[in-house]
Coordinates of all heavy atoms in Angstrom, one line a residue:
Chain B
G689 N -7.0 -14.7 -9.3 CA -5.9 -13.8 -9.0 C -5.5 -13.8 -7.6 O -6.0 -14.5 -6.7
N690 N -4.4 -13.1 -7.3 CA -3.9 -13.0 -5.9 C -4.8 -12.2 -5.1 O -5.4 -11.2 -5.5 CB -2.5 -12.4 -6.0 CG -1.5 -13.2 -6.7 OD1 -1.7 -14.4 -6.9 ND2 -0.3 -12.7 -7.0
S691 N -4.9 -12.5 -3.8 CA -5.7 -11.8 -2.8 C -5.2 -12.0 -1.4 O -4.5 -12.9 -1.1 CB -7.2 -12.2 -2.9 OG -7.3 -13.6 -2.5
V692 N -5.6 -11.1 -0.6 CA -5.3 -11.1 0.8 C -6.5 -10.8 1.7 O -7.3 -9.9 1.4 CB -4.2 -10.0 1.2 CG1 -4.0 -9.9 2.7 CG2 -2.9 -10.2 0.4
T693 N -6.7 -11.6 2.7 CA -7.8 -11.5 3.6 C -7.2 -11.3 5.0 O -6.4 -12.1 5.5 CB -8.7 -12.7 3.6 OG1 -9.2 -12.9 2.3 CG2 -9.9 -12.5 4.5
T712 N -4.4 -14.1 5.8 CA -4.3 -15.3 4.9 C -4.2 -14.8 3.5 O -4.7 -13.7 3.2 CB -5.4 -16.3 5.1 OG1 -6.6 -15.7 4.8 CG2 -5.4 -16.9 6.4
Y713 N -3.6 -15.5 2.6 CA -3.5 -15.1 1.3 C -3.8 -16.2 0.3 O -3.7 -17.4 0.6 CB -2.0 -14.5 1.0 CG -1.0 -15.6 1.1 CD1 -0.6 -16.3 -0.1 CD2 -0.4 -15.9 2.3 CE1 0.4 -17.3 0.0 CE2 0.6 -16.9 2.3 CZ 1.0 -17.6 1.2 OH 1.9 -18.6 1.2
T714 N -4.0 -15.8 -1.0 CA -4.2 -16.7 -2.1 C -3.3 -16.1 -3.2 O -3.3 -15.0 -3.5 CB -5.6 -16.7 -2.6 OG1 -6.5 -17.1 -1.6 CG2 -5.8 -17.6 -3.8
A715 N -2.4 -17.0 -3.7 CA -1.5 -16.6 -4.7 C -1.1 -17.8 -5.6 O -1.1 -18.9 -5.2 CB -0.2 -16.0 -4.1
T716 N -0.9 -17.5 -6.9 CA -0.6 -18.5 -7.9 C 0.9 -18.8 -7.9 O 1.3 -19.9 -8.3 CB -1.1 -18.1 -9.3 OG1 -0.5 -16.8 -9.6 CG2 -2.6 -18.0 -9.3
G717 N 1.7 -17.9 -7.5 CA 3.1 -18.1 -7.5 C 3.7 -18.2 -6.2 O 3.2 -18.8 -5.3
Y718 N 4.9 -17.5 -6.0 CA 5.6 -17.5 -4.7 C 5.8 -16.1 -4.3 O 6.8 -15.5 -4.5 CB 7.0 -18.2 -4.9 CG 6.8 -19.6 -5.4 CD1 6.8 -20.0 -6.7 CD2 6.6 -20.7 -4.4 CE1 6.7 -21.3 -7.1 CE2 6.4 -22.0 -4.9 CZ 6.4 -22.3 -6.2 OH 6.3 -23.6 -6.6
P719 N 4.8 -15.5 -3.6 CA 4.8 -14.1 -3.3 C 5.7 -13.8 -2.1 O 6.1 -14.7 -1.4 CB 3.4 -13.8 -2.9 CG 2.9 -15.1 -2.3 CD 3.6 -16.2 -3.1
S720 N 6.0 -12.5 -2.0 CA 6.6 -12.0 -0.8 C 5.5 -11.4 0.0 O 4.5 -10.9 -0.5 CB 7.6 -10.8 -1.1 OG 8.7 -11.4 -1.8
L721 N 5.6 -11.4 1.3 CA 4.5 -11.0 2.2 C 5.0 -9.8 3.1 O 6.2 -9.7 3.5 CB 4.1 -12.1 3.1 CG 3.6 -13.4 2.3 CD1 3.3 -14.5 3.3 CD2 2.4 -13.0 1.5
Y754 N 6.0 -16.5 7.7 CA 5.5 -16.9 6.4 C 5.2 -18.4 6.4 O 6.1 -19.2 6.4 CB 6.5 -16.6 5.3 CG 6.2 -16.7 3.8 CD1 6.6 -15.7 2.9 CD2 5.4 -17.7 3.3 CE1 6.4 -15.8 1.6 CE2 5.1 -17.8 2.0 CZ 5.6 -16.9 1.1 OH 5.3 -16.9 -0.2
R755 N 3.9 -18.7 6.5 CA 3.5 -20.1 6.5 C 2.9 -20.5 5.2 O 1.7 -20.2 4.9 CB 2.5 -20.3 7.7 CG 3.0 -19.9 9.0 CD 3.9 -20.9 9.6 NE 4.2 -20.6 11.0 CZ 5.3 -21.1 11.6 NH1 6.2 -21.9 11.0 NH2 5.5 -20.8 12.9
K756 N 3.6 -21.3 4.4 CA 3.1 -21.7 3.1 C 2.0 -22.7 3.2 O 1.1 -22.7 2.5 CB 4.3 -22.2 2.2 CG 3.9 -22.3 0.8 CD 5.2 -22.6 -0.1 CE 4.9 -22.5 -1.5 NZ 4.0 -23.5 -2.0
T758 N -0.2 -23.1 5.4 CA -1.5 -22.6 5.8 C -1.8 -21.3 5.1 O -2.8 -20.6 5.3 CB -1.6 -22.3 7.3 OG1 -0.5 -21.5 7.7 CG2 -1.6 -23.6 8.1
T759 N -1.0 -20.9 4.2 CA -1.0 -19.6 3.4 C -1.4 -18.5 4.4 O -2.4 -17.7 4.2 CB -2.1 -19.7 2.3 OG1 -3.4 -20.0 2.8 CG2 -1.6 -20.7 1.3
S760 N -0.6 -18.3 5.4 CA -0.9 -17.3 6.4 C 0.4 -16.5 6.7 O 1.5 -16.9 6.5 CB -1.4 -17.9 7.7 OG -0.4 -18.8 8.3
A779 N -0.1 -7.5 3.1 CA 0.0 -7.3 1.7 C 0.9 -8.4 1.1 O 1.7 -8.9 1.8 CB 0.5 -5.9 1.3
L780 N 0.8 -8.6 -0.2 CA 1.7 -9.5 -0.9 C 2.1 -8.9 -2.2 O 1.4 -8.0 -2.7 CB 1.1 -10.9 -1.1 CG -0.1 -11.0 -2.1 CD1 0.3 -11.1 -3.6 CD2 -0.9 -12.3 -1.8
S781 N 3.2 -9.3 -2.7 CA 3.7 -8.9 -4.0 C 4.3 -10.1 -4.7 O 4.8 -11.0 -4.1 CB 4.6 -7.8 -4.0 OG 5.9 -8.2 -3.6
D782 N 4.2 -10.1 -6.0 CA 4.7 -11.2 -6.8 C 5.6 -10.6 -8.0 O 5.0 -9.8 -8.7 CB 3.6 -12.1 -7.4 CG 4.1 -13.3 -8.1 OD1 5.2 -13.3 -8.6 OD2 3.3 -14.3 -8.1
R783 N 6.8 -10.9 -8.1 CA 7.6 -10.2 -9.1 C 7.2 -10.6 -10.5 O 7.5 -9.8 -11.4 CB 9.1 -10.6 -8.9 CG 9.5 -12.0 -9.2 CD 10.9 -12.3 -8.8 NE 11.3 -13.6 -9.3 CZ 12.5 -14.1 -9.0 NH1 13.4 -13.4 -8.3 NH2 12.9 -15.3 -9.4
E784 N 6.4 -11.6 -10.7 CA 5.9 -11.9 -12.0 C 4.8 -10.9 -12.4 O 4.4 -10.9 -13.5 CB 5.4 -13.4 -12.1 CG 6.5 -14.4 -12.0 CD 6.0 -15.8 -12.4 OE1 5.0 -15.9 -13.0 OE2 6.7 -16.7 -12.1
Y785 N 4.3 -10.2 -11.4 CA 3.2 -9.2 -11.7 C 3.8 -7.8 -11.4 O 3.1 -6.9 -10.9 CB 2.0 -9.5 -10.9 CG 1.3 -10.8 -11.2 CD1 1.6 -12.0 -10.6 CD2 0.4 -10.8 -12.3 CE1 1.0 -13.2 -11.0 CE2 -0.2 -12.0 -12.7 CZ 0.1 -13.2 -12.0 OH -0.5 -14.4 -12.4
K788 N 3.7 -5.3 -7.9 CA 2.6 -4.5 -7.4 C 2.0 -5.2 -6.1 O 2.0 -6.4 -6.0 CB 1.5 -4.3 -8.4 CG 0.7 -5.6 -8.8 CD -0.3 -5.3 -9.9 CE -1.0 -6.5 -10.3 NZ -1.8 -6.3 -11.5
V790 N -0.7 -6.2 -3.4 CA -2.1 -6.6 -3.2 C -2.4 -6.5 -1.7 O -1.7 -7.2 -0.9 CB -2.4 -8.0 -3.7 CG1 -3.9 -8.3 -3.5 CG2 -2.2 -8.0 -5.2

Side-chain angles (χ1 to χ4, degrees):
Chain B
N690 295 345
S691 66
V692 174
T693 303
T712 57
Y713 68 90
T714 301
T716 54
Y718 300 93
S720 294
L721 302 175
Y754 190 141
R755 301 286 188 199
K756 194 170 187 299
T758 54
T759 62
S760 65
L780 67 79
S781 74
D782 187 333
R783 67 185 189 187
E784 292 195 15
Y785 295 93
K788 65 185 178 187
V790 176

